[in-house]
Amino acid sequence: MAVGCTLCLACVTLFGMDGEWVNPVSYSAICLARTWTLTIGFTLSYGAMLVKVLYSWRICRATKLSQSVPSKTISQLIIPVTEPYYILLSLLVIDIAILSAWQSLDPLKRSIKTFDAQLPTDPADGDIKYRPLLEHCSCDHMTKWIAVIYSYKGLLLLAGLFLAYETRNVKIRFINDLKFVAMAIYNILVLCVVSVPVTLIIPYQHNALYGFISVAIILSCYLSLSLIFIPKMIPIIRRRIDLDQHETQQVLIHQENEKRLDELKERNDTLKQQIAQKEKEIRELHLVLQKKFSSQISNDDRQTSDSAFSEEHTDRAQESPECRMADTELL
């Protein structure tokens, strides 16, 4: 579809080329390029949407459902996945056949349309008259070939309108853009219905014709692309935004964790220093206590020995006189 819209938009540039930009010898090639580019571009862009609604309509008809289609039923359908590509290829083959026959039997060529002479707008020109000339593409049976092309494309437009209406309530899990495809088909149908009669009414008003054709092509292409691709891009953008927000949150959490880790490391170092200082104080106190305890023990031993000596002396002093006399006699 995107390729077809690109060809149609390129055709706007081709329609804007005239004798000022292209020499008369190459103008016939421009006429041929306009016809082929617009026809193939329309088939690729509109045919892609037509094939999608046709495939959905076949699924709906095969399963005999009008509201929803379960995924299990879709997997059991005998409808090849490559069938839409074959249908689109068939449409292209028909276009190529018609355009080839047109080119071989009655090719487009440069033609000049001569209008009546007009008086000059400037009185200084005197008796000079101007005869406008219009350069355009034409052939001997132009009306018949255009009728063939319009009939074929009109049948495709009617088929797309019918299929879009028939699949308006269908909900398929694997084809979730049927509503937007139907809206794009309606948009192209309306623009074609409006623009085709106008182009037939004003074929020799070159500026108005080019402006109308350009606006119709640009509107149909951009509206169709917007309806098809923007709804698909919105979830991707939202998912990307959510992913960015999640990454931002993860970065903030990581930064907060690193900050907290740094604070804990600083606190740990401070506590280690405090513990080392306390241990040093404890060792110093332990040494002081040991000194005090050892000095106290030595004092207690000294006091014990002194008390024992004094008790022994006292006991000897308190002995009876008889013991003293016995000692004397023994002497």
Side-chain angles (χ1 to χ4, degrees), residues 269-284:
D269 295 337
T270 304
L271 291 175
K272 285 181 178 180
Q273 293 176 0
Q274 292 178 357
I275 291 172
Q277 186 178 359
K278 296 297 182 182
E279 289 179 350
K280 183 178 179 181
E281 293 178 357
I282 290 172
R283 286 195 298 269
E284 292 177 354

Side-chain angles (χ1 to χ4, degrees), residues 23 71 144-145 159 172 189 218 223 247 251 258 261 289 305:
N23 55 42
S71 58
K144 295 180 181 179
W145 291 110
I172 302 176
L189 177 64
I218 291 172
L223 287 176
E247 290 179 354
V251 170
E258 287 184 350
L261 180 62
L289 289 175
S305 60

Side-chain angles (χ1 to χ4, degrees), residues 286-301:
H286 185 67
L287 293 174
V288 172
L289 289 175
Q290 285 182 351
K291 291 179 180 179
K292 288 184 178 181
F293 183 73
S294 60
S295 61
Q296 185 178 2
I297 290 175
S298 61
N299 292 330
D300 291 341
D301 294 338

Side-chain angles (χ1 to χ4, degrees), residues 18-33 103 108-112 135 137:
D18 53 9
E20 185 179 357
W21 302 93
V22 182
N23 55 42
V25 178
S26 302
Y27 197 85
S28 299
I30 295 297
C31 296
L32 182 63
Q103 179 62 26
L108 289 170
K109 57 186 177 180
R110 177 176 176 268
S111 299
I112 301 295
E135 190 178 30
C137 299

Side-chain angles (χ1 to χ4, degrees), residues 51-52 55 58-59 74-75 77-88 174-175:
V51 166
K52 180 173 285 189
Y55 189 72
R58 290 200 59 188
I59 292 175
I74 294 179
S75 61
L77 293 176
I78 310 176
I79 299 179
V81 180
T82 57
E83 181 178 342
Y85 299 100
Y86 292 139
I87 296 174
L88 184 59
F174 301 101
I175 308 176

Side-chain angles (χ1 to χ4, degrees), residues 40-58:
I40 299 299
F42 179 85
T43 301
L44 288 176
S45 58
Y46 181 78
M49 296 183 287
L50 177 64
V51 166
K52 180 173 285 189
V53 293
L54 177 61
Y55 189 72
S56 304
W57 178 75
R58 290 200 59 188

Side-chain angles (χ1 to χ4, degrees), residues 220-277:
S220 61
C221 289
Y222 280 107
L223 287 176
S224 300
L225 290 173
S226 300
L227 288 171
I228 299 299
F229 291 103
I230 288 180
K232 296 179 181 180
M233 294 172 62
I234 290 175
I236 298 175
I237 295 173
R238 288 179 178 175
R239 192 178 300 111
R240 181 60 184 174
I241 292 174
D242 295 338
L243 183 60
D244 292 340
Q245 291 178 353
H246 180 70
E247 290 179 354
T248 304
Q249 291 178 356
Q250 293 295 327
V251 170
L252 292 175
I253 293 173
H254 182 66
Q255 291 177 354
E256 185 178 355
N257 291 333
E258 287 184 350
K259 184 178 179 181
R260 186 177 178 184
L261 180 62
D262 294 337
E263 292 177 354
L264 291 175
K265 287 182 178 179
E266 292 178 358
R267 187 176 178 183
N268 188 24
D269 295 337
T270 304
L271 291 175
K272 285 181 178 180
Q273 293 176 0
Q274 292 178 357
I275 291 172
Q277 186 178 359

